[in-house]
Amino acid sequence: MHTHRVIPHRLAALAFATAIIIFALAATDAAATTRYVAPWGSDLNPRTALLPMARVQTAINALGDGDTVLLADGVYSGTGNRDIDLHGKAIRVASSSGQPQSCIIDCTHDGVTLHYGFIFSGFYSAPAGLSGLTVMGARTSGDTAGAL
């Protein structure tokens, strides 16, 4: 009979530990930040859906692991919207519509330099991700590991 009492206590302890882990994961997700970017935005804006930023790189620089940069549909080009470096941060960059044909990172050659779309360098503590984007005109080779 003693063993019947020990097992429920172990199960209760396991259930409690599982609940703590689930709570911690939920708290981590709740603390994640989303920054909004649109081709018509301004980097002086507060990075909200109604007042988005203009440059993807500026949004990434303000974020940390687990955060998201959400892009409005449109074409992103020029400084801050090409050669985008995640700096080893586990950040998700995604289009708000999920439609790659509507959200384009344009890295077209500027006559002087060939550009990358995104640069993945350094150590990532968790996966970084891109979704719902088209990258066009990007450099496809070079000495930068993990460039797209």
Side-chain angles (χ1 to χ4, degrees):
M1 287 209 170
H2 180 67
T3 57
H4 294 289
R5 291 184 182 170
V6 173
I7 291 173
H9 291 303
R10 287 186 182 166
L11 289 176
L14 179 60
F16 179 74
T18 302
I20 293 294
I21 291 169
I22 290 170
F23 177 79
L25 290 174
T28 300
D29 287 343
T33 300
T34 299
R35 297 289 187 224
Y36 297 87
V37 181
W40 46 265
S42 167
D43 286 347
L44 299 176
N45 283 343
R47 305 170 188 141
T48 64
L50 294 176
L51 296 169
M53 304 178 74
R55 296 184 186 139
V56 179
Q57 187 67 63
T58 305
I60 288 171
N61 293 347
L63 295 174
D65 288 343
D67 293 338
T68 298
V69 176
L70 202 55
L71 306 179
D73 286 347
V75 177
Y76 296 83
S77 62
T79 303
N81 289 321
R82 61 184 180 213
D83 301 319
I84 301 164
D85 193 340
L86 297 179
H87 301 295
K89 299 175 185 179
I91 292 175
R92 177 178 168 257
V93 181
S95 71
S96 58
S97 70
Q99 302 298 318
Q101 70 276 13
S102 300
C103 190
I104 300 167
I105 304 293
D106 183 359
C107 306
T108 303
H109 188 274
D110 61 10
V112 179
T113 307
L114 293 173
H115 296 281
Y116 293 103
F118 289 86
I119 300 169
F120 298 89
S121 60
F123 175 77
Y124 289 83
S125 60
L130 305 175
S131 64
L133 308 172
T134 295
V135 178
M136 63 181 248
R139 182 177 183 172
T140 58
S141 65
D143 58 359
T144 303
L148 170 68

